[in-house]
Amino acid sequence: MTVSRKAAAVVVFSAAALSLSACAKSDRGSGTSGSGGAGGNSDATLTFAAAGAPSTFDPFYASDGETFRITRQLFEGLVSFKPGTADLAPGLATSWNSSKDGKTWTFKLRTGVKFSDGTPFNAAAVCKNFERMDNQNDAGQSAAEYWATNMIGFKKSKDDLFQGCTAKGDAEVELKLLRATSKFPALLGLSSFSMQSPTAMDKYKANNISAQGEGFAYSEYAKSRPTGTGPFTFSSYDVANKTVTLVRNDNYWGDKAKVKKLVFQIIPDATQRKQALLAGQIDGYDLPAPVDWDSLKKAGMNLEVRPAFNILYLGLNAKKNPALKDLKVRQALYYAINREQLVKSQLPDGASVATQFYPKTVDGYSDGVTKYNYDPNKAKDLLKQAGQSNLTIDFWYPSEVSRPYMPDPQAIFQAIKGDWEKVGVKVKPVTKPWAGGYITGTQGGAAPAYLMGWTGDYNTPDNFLGSFFGSTKGQMDTGAYPWGTTLASDLAKDDSIVDPTQRTAAYKKLNEQIMSQWLPGLPISSSPPAVVFGKGVSGVVASPLTAEDFSTAVKK
Amino acid sequence: MLRYIARRVLQMIGVMFALSLLIFAWLRALPGGPVDALLGERATPERRAALRKVLGLDQPLPVQYLKFLDNAAHGNFGVSSAVQPGTDAMQVFLTRLPATMELTGVAIVLALATGIPLGYLAAKRHGGIFDNLGVLLSLVGVAVPVFFLAFVLKQYFAVDWQLLPLNGRQNPDLNATRVTGFFILDGILTREFDASWDAFLHLILPGVALATIPFAVVFRITRASVLDVLDEDFVRTAEAKGLTRQVIRRRHVLRNALLPVVTTIGLQVGGLLTGAVLTETVFSIAGLGDAMNLAFQQKDFSVLQVLIVMAATTYVVVNLLVDIAYAYIDPRVRTR
């Protein structure tokens, strides 16, 4: 009996194995099974660690850095940015100009470019892309964060900035806007507004997006068929092994990628990414912790520090703590913070004290703003004058997060708390996980004082100021002040000035006014984030917009 | 037996239903949610409210739960918002199950392959140096936290000496073909033996890290159980009958001593799943534990719901299988 049972088990197992192996065959083709650089530079595989899974491969529906890092290698926009800067450069359009009223933009397109599926890139393809972006269902409108915030509305909405696209022959296109905006054409350099193959989008139903449960269900196009004009093409997303593989686009119109394969390996933990780089398992990762910079350099790694293009600020909300309505109180809190010391002790080399709500590289930065150098006595005086010598304030900081502008939120919180306590302010700490209530709480106006920041998308003042104060119901709730509406309308007015010189002058003046008369929040610092590569990797130019192009990467 | 199994299956359905309700209510009581993960810190309150509406998160909780049950009955468990964005939550579970099964399988095999013989030997040489060393080792196995052991193993074997892979399941450069999701098996089926070997190498460090606690438990139970059985009357009877020591140990002592070990394996599955959360996170293995950790951090409700309910189901199923195995090993159980 025992023998027959065993025999039966063996027979069943063998049969199952045979039938499975009959169905299974190796898919390893001759094409892309690289040997990781054994065959020389051009055959190399570059493996870069990502901190999270991409949300989709259709950048139009994305708003996260992990997705954009991948899609930037697959897609290109009409405009791009000069490597290593936030300045505009030709992309798929070689030149552009606007009408006098700033409402009509004409782009001359690069000729001879094809999408990786062979579809020609031309004016018709551009218009098809813009019309697709503008025409979204409810789920699409919710997911397309960058279009919603930059173009304000979608088709049929009265606020929709996009008013139409006209192909003028094959190589010229005209875009019409509702009104002039300083954001144009810089916003076209965002990965979300990249040009995608109309043929592939139609075939794989790119606009088929729906809300299911607590997430979005994307189309086949977004999951596995992204098709652009970039230096790499999509090969596979191996979810079971947490890797996304791109391969060189040998028909790319520009300089071909220097490596054959580009693999993004998802390693969520920062310590593991560092270990993996030191062990030689990966070739690079983003945002190494500033405390690791020295040890990585000592180990021979190539640490590239990006120019700082972000701002850390202390948000204030007078609706939650009415004492903050008094300018003197806000000024006292600002004078009380030793920002020089904070930058030196808590932030990486190259970080600087902020004097206004964006870094120096952005147009309209003013050297003439009111400075609030560390002065605890003045802070005490101002609090006394305001009758708030015993001020108590709930101060929020996030846990479970590290941002480029805020590598260690708790340490920054402790430094500011210490400074405030020195001038007699009682601080009640409130901490919440970043995605576990912090964002919802601070953005929803629940926090009287909180740490928050912003990394610029492109070089316009509106990208910073407009996001903070463009609405009186924004995160700093400027509607609580009598000047909140004036600030919002001044921002809208400055944003629509067509002449760049006049516009820059207007923003300078507005910055001075914000810092001297209004002070809705307290700008703290700008920090340079880094990206690190292994010993044998070079050629990637660090971008202040974290928009690195991996096609220039060379691996020995 | 059939009636017994049917009763247990009915219990299982009840457990799943109650759990789904509890998890649903508990998750939604937590601060934050998928909207934060989907939109990040940049979106305005208006945009957040609009997304909550589109996702139905603005509805009363009972309405949301009924909608969830209705969808689940139609095989739709919601879409992942963070772990594997855009993928059906049940699909996330199924894609990641093989990784966890491979890892826990290796850990169980390691624990049994070392724990049973060493426990048996320790009992045989009761009170000797080997016994004391074994007991000490098992104490260390239970006491050292998995994440610490994992970190030490990685630092020496992967970073410093570069003998074994650091993390992940397989070198992506191998471009291996996927069939079942079990990487070792896939390599054998497709004759990509290098891929199988590579997947096996990737399992050694996490397997050892995860096996330490079950090893210690199996060792101690085997040792204690063998010591008990050696004192039993039937062993003396067998000896008196003139059976050889080898036959007595194999047929009478070991077989009887293994009963509590089998029960322990069943109980250890729960512990292994908990250990897998840590081990998979530390070794960046795309398994259920890693998914659980990410889903909790980023409030991926759909994935968390499916994972917790399925983990509970797995626990119940494994224990049912253990009971059946128990009946197989010990005929007395069958007749009860």
Side-chain angles (χ1 to χ4, degrees):
Chain A
M1 183 66 187
T2 316
V3 173
S4 65
R5 251 191 224 165
K6 277 181 187 165
V10 169
V11 168
V12 169
F13 179 78
S14 310
L18 272 173
S19 57
L20 268 173
S21 73
C23 311
K25 66 176 183 33
S26 175
D27 284 344
R28 267 197 245 183
S30 50
T32 56
S33 58
S35 53
N41 282 353
S42 59
D43 278 340
T45 296
L46 186 86
T47 307
F48 193 86
S55 55
T56 160
F57 295 109
D58 181 347
F60 180 64
Y61 295 125
S63 57
D64 62 299
E66 298 305 335
T67 299
F68 290 147
R69 187 184 296 114
I70 296 169
T71 58
R72 269 190 207 101
Q73 320 307 323
L74 301 171
F75 299 102
E76 296 168 304
L78 289 184
V79 304
S80 82
F81 301 100
K82 273 184 210 155
T85 74
D87 302 334
L88 283 188
L92 288 175
T94 50
S95 64
W96 50 85
N97 57 65
S98 80
S99 60
K100 274 190 180 162
D101 63 1
K103 291 185 188 175
T104 306
W105 286 81
T106 308
F107 294 85
K108 293 243 186 297
L109 305 180
R110 203 175 285 281
T111 51
V113 176
K114 283 187 174 175
F115 291 98
S116 59
D117 63 350
T119 306
F121 168 75
N122 52 27
V126 173
C127 286
K128 179 97 183 170
N129 266 276
F130 279 102
E131 278 147 20
R132 173 254 171 164
M133 293 190 244
D134 194 41
N135 194 6
Q136 290 290 317
N137 62 22
D138 284 351
Q141 293 188 16
S142 292
E145 176 65 16
Y146 274 91
W147 182 276
T149 49
N150 285 281
M151 292 296 199
I152 315 301
F154 290 83
K155 197 166 189 157
K156 292 179 188 161
S157 147
K158 64 179 173 52
D159 298 323
D160 188 1
L161 201 54
F162 175 77
Q163 292 290 300
C165 174
T166 314
K168 305 261 171 179
D170 236 21
E172 193 175 299
V173 78
E174 193 180 87
L175 295 179
K176 282 207 184 309
L177 303 180
L178 180 66
R179 56 177 167 78
T181 172
S182 63
K183 293 186 284 240
F184 226 79
L187 65 86
L188 298 181
L190 289 172
S191 192
S192 284
F193 304 143
S194 301
M195 293 295 110
Q196 311 194 44
S197 163
T199 314
M201 286 197 291
D202 278 348
K203 191 171 172 189
Y204 302 110
K205 306 196 174 358
N207 272 16
N208 264 8
I209 178 171
S210 60
Q212 278 183 27
E214 281 80 33
F216 293 113
Y218 300 104
S219 65
E220 186 185 350
Y221 176 82
K223 283 196 272 196
S224 57
R225 306 280 182 176
T227 311
T229 60
F232 290 94
T233 60
F234 182 81
S235 171
S236 64
Y237 179 18
D238 185 350
V239 255
N241 204 25
K242 297 210 281 192
T243 49
V244 177
T245 304
L246 314 183
V247 292
R248 181 169 51 218
N249 178 2
D250 285 320
N251 299 315
Y252 183 54
W253 59 268
D255 291 338
K256 310 276 186 289
K258 304 276 193 296
V259 290
K260 187 172 181 177
K261 270 209 294 187
L262 179 57
V263 174
F264 292 98
Q265 188 172 4
I266 301 157
I267 306 178
D269 181 70
T271 314
Q272 284 186 56
R273 291 195 289 276
K274 184 185 170 194
Q275 271 190 327
L277 183 70
L278 293 174
Q281 188 177 309
I282 57 167
D283 298 308
Y285 70 93
D286 204 359
L287 303 177
V291 287
D292 292 333
W293 287 13
D294 278 345
S295 64
L296 285 166
K297 278 195 251 179
K298 273 182 198 152
M301 304 296 138
N302 294 323
L303 187 93
E304 303 277 350
V305 180
R306 300 170 168 124
F309 200 63
N310 57 38
I311 189 87
L312 165 69
Y313 58 87
L314 202 153
L316 296 173
N317 190 317
K319 273 191 187 160
K320 288 306 290 181
N321 188 333
L324 295 170
K325 278 194 180 163
D326 190 336
L327 176 64
K328 286 192 179 112
V329 174
R330 300 197 298 278
Q331 286 175 327
L333 291 174
Y334 208 16
Y335 277 120
I337 303 173
N338 191 346
R339 283 173 294 150
E340 289 281 353
Q341 181 59 31
L342 188 147
V343 164
K344 264 188 222 156
S345 60
Q346 304 298 342
L347 297 174
D349 287 347
S352 56
V353 167
T355 59
Q356 49 214 287
F357 279 94
Y358 53 72
K360 204 166 188 167
T361 37
V362 179
D363 297 340
Y365 182 92
S366 169
D367 289 319
V369 295
T370 307
K371 307 278 194 310
Y372 294 84
N373 296 328
Y374 179 54
D375 191 340
N377 292 327
K378 199 164 184 175
K380 279 184 199 164
D381 278 352
L382 283 165
L383 284 172
K384 203 173 168 187
Q385 285 173 35
Q388 293 291 346
S389 295
N390 294 315
L391 176 69
T392 302
I393 193 160
D394 287 3
F395 183 4
W396 288 41
Y397 69 96
S399 60
E400 296 177 22
V401 75
S402 170
R403 308 298 285 170
Y405 47 78
M406 179 169 60
D408 185 349
Q410 191 183 7
I412 294 168
F413 162 80
Q414 289 293 355
I416 296 175
K417 176 177 175 269
D419 287 341
W420 278 0
E421 284 173 346
K422 278 182 204 158
V423 299
V425 175
K426 286 185 192 69
V427 175
K428 283 190 186 166
V430 180
T431 185
K432 286 180 191 295
W434 183 249
Y438 189 79
I439 299 177
T440 314
T442 54
Q443 305 286 13
Y450 59 94
L451 294 175
M452 191 46 84
W454 185 268
T455 298
D457 296 311
Y458 40 80
N459 184 358
T460 72
D462 188 73
N463 185 241
F464 289 83
L465 298 181
S467 309
F468 306 148
F469 315 119
S471 157
T472 52
K473 291 176 189 158
Q475 46 171 286
M476 280 182 252
D477 247 330
T478 47
Y481 307 103
W483 42 261
T485 320
T486 315
L487 173 55
S489 66
D490 282 359
L491 273 167
K493 212 166 29 183
D494 291 356
D495 176 51
S496 62
I497 300 173
V498 179
D499 179 64
T501 319
Q502 280 178 23
R503 192 168 61 220
T504 302
Y507 274 116
K508 270 189 181 177
K509 201 176 144 204
L510 189 59
N511 270 324
E512 288 159 14
Q513 210 170 357
I514 289 173
M515 295 309 294
S516 62
Q517 297 173 25
W518 296 333
L519 202 66
L522 316 176
I524 305 288
S525 54
S526 292
S527 302
V531 54
V532 64
F533 292 96
K535 285 174 188 166
V537 179
S538 59
V540 179
V541 182
S543 156
L545 305 166
T546 63
E548 282 80 21
D549 171 8
F550 284 82
S551 72
T552 54
V554 176
K555 187 177 171 187
K556 280 180 191 159
Chain B
M1 191 75 180
L2 272 178
R3 186 186 285 179
Y4 171 74
I5 294 174
R7 201 173 66 223
R8 293 289 297 265
V9 169
L10 279 177
Q11 276 175 359
M12 202 172 79
I13 293 169
V15 165
M16 280 174 70
F17 186 76
L19 248 178
S20 75
L21 181 61
L22 273 176
I23 301 299
F24 192 89
W26 172 64
L27 286 176
R28 279 147 187 87
L30 290 173
V35 171
D36 286 352
L38 285 167
L39 294 181
E41 76 260 48
R42 297 176 153 238
T44 59
E46 290 87 355
R47 292 276 304 151
R48 279 166 206 286
L51 180 56
R52 286 178 67 79
K53 198 173 171 196
V54 166
L55 297 178
L57 294 169
D58 60 335
Q59 302 276 315
L61 272 188
V63 177
Q64 287 188 46
Y65 183 65
L66 287 177
K67 202 172 149 196
F68 163 73
L69 281 186
D70 182 38
N71 285 334
H74 291 90
N76 176 1
F77 294 87
V79 166
S80 165
S81 60
V83 176
Q84 229 163 283
T87 312
D88 181 80
M90 186 53 84
Q91 191 58 43
V92 173
F93 171 80
L94 293 173
T95 313
R96 284 169 173 260
L97 181 65
T100 303
M101 284 178 73
E102 252 182 6
L103 176 62
T104 47
V106 164
I108 288 175
V109 168
L110 268 174
L112 293 179
T114 51
I116 292 177
L118 290 179
Y120 178 72
L121 285 176
K124 234 175 82 177
R125 295 172 191 179
H126 180 51
I129 292 178
F130 182 81
D131 184 23
N132 286 325
L133 268 178
V135 171
L136 186 74
L137 194 68
S138 69
L139 272 177
V140 172
V142 173
V144 175
V146 171
F147 66 87
F148 175 74
L149 182 70
F151 185 80
V152 172
L153 288 173
K154 283 171 70 174
Q155 187 61 39
Y156 285 110
F157 287 92
V159 180
D160 291 350
W161 305 329
Q162 306 207 347
L163 294 172
L164 288 165
L166 181 75
N167 52 25
R169 292 184 69 193
Q170 199 173 52
N171 179 358
D173 222 16
L174 288 172
N175 203 23
T177 311
R178 306 273 174 254
V179 186
T180 62
F182 292 89
F183 285 9
I184 296 178
L185 180 65
D186 286 354
I188 295 168
L189 294 175
T190 55
R191 296 181 208 290
E192 294 170 0
F193 297 114
D194 54 338
S196 272
W197 178 244
D198 187 70
F200 173 70
L201 292 179
H202 276 79
L203 276 172
I204 295 177
L205 292 183
V208 169
L210 188 57
T212 48
I213 293 176
F215 155 76
V217 175
V218 167
F219 170 85
R220 290 172 75 90
I221 301 272
T222 309
R223 178 180 168 277
S225 183
V226 169
L227 282 176
D228 280 350
V229 174
L230 280 174
D231 270 350
E232 292 279 348
D233 289 345
F234 66 82
V235 174
R236 260 192 300 278
T237 311
E239 273 171 1
K241 269 168 63 184
L243 284 178
T244 62
R245 271 196 152 184
Q246 258 190 336
V247 173
I248 293 171
R249 280 183 179 153
R250 204 181 58 230
R251 254 193 227 165
H252 299 284
V253 178
L254 201 57
R255 195 156 178 179
N256 278 289
L258 279 183
L259 282 173
V261 176
V262 172
T263 312
T264 310
I265 296 166
L267 294 173
Q268 283 296 305
V269 169
L272 277 172
L273 287 177
T274 316
V277 175
L278 279 174
T279 314
E280 288 176 2
T281 303
V282 176
F283 286 93
S284 190
I285 293 170
L288 299 174
D290 176 64
M292 183 93 80
N293 182 40
L294 289 174
F296 188 76
Q297 270 181 17
Q298 308 198 28
K299 306 290 177 289
D300 193 334
F301 289 171
S302 304
V303 170
L304 269 176
Q305 278 158 188
V306 167
L307 288 185
I308 295 175
V309 171
M310 292 311 285
T313 311
T314 311
Y315 190 74
V316 178
V317 167
V318 168
N319 276 287
L320 177 66
L321 291 177
V322 167
D323 287 348
I324 294 169
Y326 208 80
Y328 176 79
I329 293 172
D330 186 351
R332 287 170 298 183
V333 174
R334 258 176 284 171
T335 54
R336 265 179 219 160

